[in-house]
Amino acid sequence: MSGSSNIVAMKKIVQQLRFEANINRVKVSQAAAELQQFCIQNALQDPLLTGVSSSTNPFRTQKAFSCSCDISAGEKTKKTTAMMCN
Amino acid sequence: MAAQEVAAQPSDTLATLKTESETLKTKLEEERAKLHDVELHQVAEKIEALGQFVMKTRRTLKGHGNKVLCMDWCKDKRRIVSSSQDGKVIVWDAFTTNKEHAVTMPCTWVMACAYAPSGCAVACGGLDNKCSVYPLSLDKNENLAAKKKSVAMHTNYLSACCFTNSDMQILTSSGDGTCALWDVESGQMLQSFHGHAADVLCLDLAPSETGNTFVSGGCDKKACVWDMRTGQCVQSFETHESDINSVRYYPSGDAFASGSDDATCRLYDLRADREVAIYSKESIIFGASSVDFSLSGRLLFGGYNDYTINVWDVLKGTRVSILFGHENRVSTLRVSPDGTAFCSGSWDHTLRIWA
């Protein structure tokens, strides 16, 4: 009983592997070039990449003063947030 | 005697099938290796390195009483839905930090939540093994729980959910090892996806231009790409060394990134059918819980269990920034629909908007 259900399961695995082994693939060099191309083409439209200024980013427009705190200290960031967002 | 006859058919014995499966696995690796002529970061050597990034917490959303487990953006780029271990699902206006709606689920550990494309409903679920849809009322006093619609039923916890291109269908993944596609109106299962050998922890829908596929990741260390119409797994990748907590498509749809308990994030290209980059550092030893790309795909944001967010240059493979602020594990992270900010949720009960 359990013997035949193991066989059914294995058959499915083998079928799946056959399917996956036969798909068409492209060279990494070509695939990589296309990934890079996409990045470059869309770079200017990427606000987090280009660092959109405060006037156009709704999340950056804020209360008057700017702060030159170093973001590398967790404690300072907390205080900065408290100051900036009242 | 009958049992012996069945076992005697040569092509069907367990042993021959096992041998064939090993042979096929080897063949798969060989086919992939033949096309591995270069590394992604080598191709990217000629492009300019990224400059310094100044990303700060711009808003902190406080109000959850326990660990934030999941969040999703509304298409209007300002509303956010988040869910927590304490059973609460909250809808926020991220610009003002105001809470617009709150629902208490009948279970704790609401591990999954999603905003409907129309912005008029949210879906959520977790330890209740279900995915439920709540229409969002304009009347703040209305009891949202009364209008709740149970859509998906799994036999174990719901780990992730996502509306397809309309409010009418939901894709779910579960601790029961399967994913499924459901019709919201009738609650009927339209398709199920079997193939993972353990809990499925995450899923992501391919960008609409790419067609009807989605990717899932699980505790079996595998990431699988599925054809939504046929239910078939069309590609699978098994290079991570531990649970895959998060998967996200590259914006062009030709690749996807994953974050894992093995402390690495990886990029898999679908046309080359292989892993093409690993984002790791010896100093990063805690698991990555959630990943997302910036709009152009050049940056990969990873939320980690060591409370930090690492920002990676996707093409060059290097880390460009590390963001501190959360006081416990980062559990969820999504870039906003227009790419102007990203939101992270944490076990420290808060969500932060970074820009």
Side-chain angles (χ1 to χ4, degrees):
Chain A
M1 244 19 93
S2 69
S4 63
S5 66
N6 275 347
I7 287 178
V8 168
M10 273 310 292
K11 267 190 163 171
K12 278 195 182 150
I13 292 176
V14 167
Q15 255 178 336
Q16 181 63 27
L17 284 170
R18 273 191 207 142
F19 177 86
E20 289 184 26
N22 287 329
I23 66 172
N24 287 325
R25 297 177 183 82
V26 309
K27 285 190 183 172
V28 175
S29 50
Q30 184 190 334
E34 290 179 27
L35 290 178
Q36 184 171 298
Q37 176 77 331
F38 184 89
C39 276
I40 294 173
Q41 276 173 341
N42 291 282
L44 291 177
Q45 280 82 49
D46 185 342
L48 287 169
L49 187 65
T50 57
V52 173
S53 73
S54 304
S55 49
T56 36
N57 187 327
F59 289 107
R60 283 192 177 189
T61 57
Q62 252 323 301
K63 328 276 174 171
F65 60 92
S66 64
C67 182
S68 54
C69 287
D70 177 0
I71 58 165
S72 63
E75 288 308 301
K76 279 187 184 162
T77 306
K78 231 179 16 180
K79 285 186 192 146
T80 309
T81 309
M83 285 193 289
M84 286 178 72
C85 304
N86 79 252
Chain B
M1 274 198 304
Q4 273 186 322
E5 275 169 20
V6 168
Q9 285 170 42
S11 58
D12 285 0
T13 59
L14 206 52
T16 52
L17 284 172
K18 277 195 172 150
T19 315
E20 190 178 355
S21 112
E22 290 310 311
T23 312
L24 283 168
K25 281 184 187 165
T26 311
K27 181 182 175 199
L28 195 51
E29 285 319 306
E30 283 171 358
E31 292 298 314
R32 283 172 166 166
K34 277 183 200 167
L35 298 163
H36 188 198
D37 52 348
V38 78
E39 298 291 338
L40 174 60
H41 63 84
Q42 289 172 300
V43 169
E45 260 161 29
K46 301 167 210 144
I47 57 174
E48 258 182 64
L50 297 171
Q52 277 282 60
F53 279 92
V54 179
M55 268 178 242
K56 298 185 184 173
T57 299
R58 305 289 172 173
R59 303 285 191 284
T60 303
L61 306 180
K62 295 188 190 184
H64 276 295
N66 212 320
K67 307 176 171 70
V68 175
L69 302 175
C70 189
M71 59 82 37
D72 191 19
W73 287 89
C74 177
K75 284 202 155 86
D76 72 1
K77 312 155 213 165
R78 69 185 278 173
R79 282 176 182 76
I80 283 179
V81 62
S82 61
S83 64
S84 162
Q85 182 193 341
D86 67 357
K88 291 257 183 359
V89 175
I90 299 180
V91 175
W92 315 77
D93 175 335
F95 286 3
T96 62
T97 75
N98 290 337
K99 296 178 201 41
E100 298 201 335
H101 298 97
V103 174
T104 304
M105 293 279 286
C107 66
T108 56
W109 287 89
V110 187
M111 292 173 243
C113 63
Y115 228 117
S118 67
C120 298
V122 292
C124 51
L127 285 188
D128 58 352
N129 299 359
K130 294 190 225 176
C131 183
S132 307
V133 175
Y134 291 85
L136 295 175
S137 166
L138 290 172
D139 175 1
K140 302 289 165 72
N141 294 325
E142 183 164 2
N143 179 12
L144 287 185
K147 294 253 170 92
K148 161 179 163 176
K149 198 186 196 64
S150 272
V151 175
M153 278 291 295
H154 278 280
T155 54
N156 209 325
Y157 64 89
L158 187 82
S159 53
C161 63
C162 163
F163 283 87
T164 59
N165 300 320
S166 77
D167 284 22
M168 306 283 56
Q169 292 182 353
I170 286 190
L171 199 51
T172 58
S173 64
S174 167
D176 68 13
T178 72
C179 299
L181 180 66
W182 310 81
D183 176 86
V184 173
E185 193 53 50
S186 64
Q188 207 187 356
M189 185 195 286
L190 300 170
Q191 187 60 262
S192 68
F193 306 89
H194 297 257
H196 277 286
D199 306 23
V200 186
L201 298 179
C202 51
L203 59 81
D204 192 34
L205 203 54
S208 39
E209 314 78 52
T210 328
N212 290 348
T213 61
F214 73 95
V215 61
S216 64
C219 291
D220 57 357
K221 311 175 202 168
K222 263 201 326 192
C224 295
V225 179
W226 307 87
D227 179 324
M228 279 168 70
R229 278 176 284 221
T230 62
Q232 166 141 47
C233 167
V234 294
Q235 283 172 277
S236 69
F237 305 89
E238 209 168 342
T239 61
H240 270 295
E241 294 168 18
S242 188
D243 299 3
I244 297 179
N245 299 312
S246 173
V247 285
R248 195 73 70 212
Y249 270 92
Y250 186 79
S252 70
D254 290 330
F256 69 90
S258 58
S260 163
D261 275 352
D262 67 8
T264 70
C265 295
R266 296 178 195 231
L267 186 69
Y268 298 89
D269 186 289
L270 295 172
R271 278 122 6 99
D273 187 41
R274 62 172 299 121
E275 174 192 291
V276 293
I278 304 184
Y279 308 101
S280 66
K281 271 182 115 62
E282 273 186 32
S283 54
I284 300 176
I285 57 173
F286 284 83
S289 64
S290 48
V291 295
D292 203 357
F293 288 99
S294 70
L295 230 54
S296 66
R298 183 68 192 270
L299 299 176
L300 180 70
F301 300 98
Y304 289 73
N305 293 340
D306 64 1
Y307 316 175
T308 68
I309 293 167
N310 288 298
V311 186
W312 302 90
D313 178 330
V314 169
L315 301 178
K316 291 189 181 279
T318 52
R319 179 173 66 185
V320 297
S321 191
I322 177 169
L323 304 176
F324 298 91
H326 277 298
E327 295 167 16
N328 207 319
R329 291 192 186 192
V330 178
S331 52
T332 179
L333 187 158
R334 296 295 296 256
V335 171
S336 72
D338 61 355
T340 51
F342 70 91
C343 177
S344 58
S346 163
W347 282 17
D348 70 6
H349 308 189
T350 72
L351 294 115
R352 285 175 180 245
I353 313 282
W354 306 77

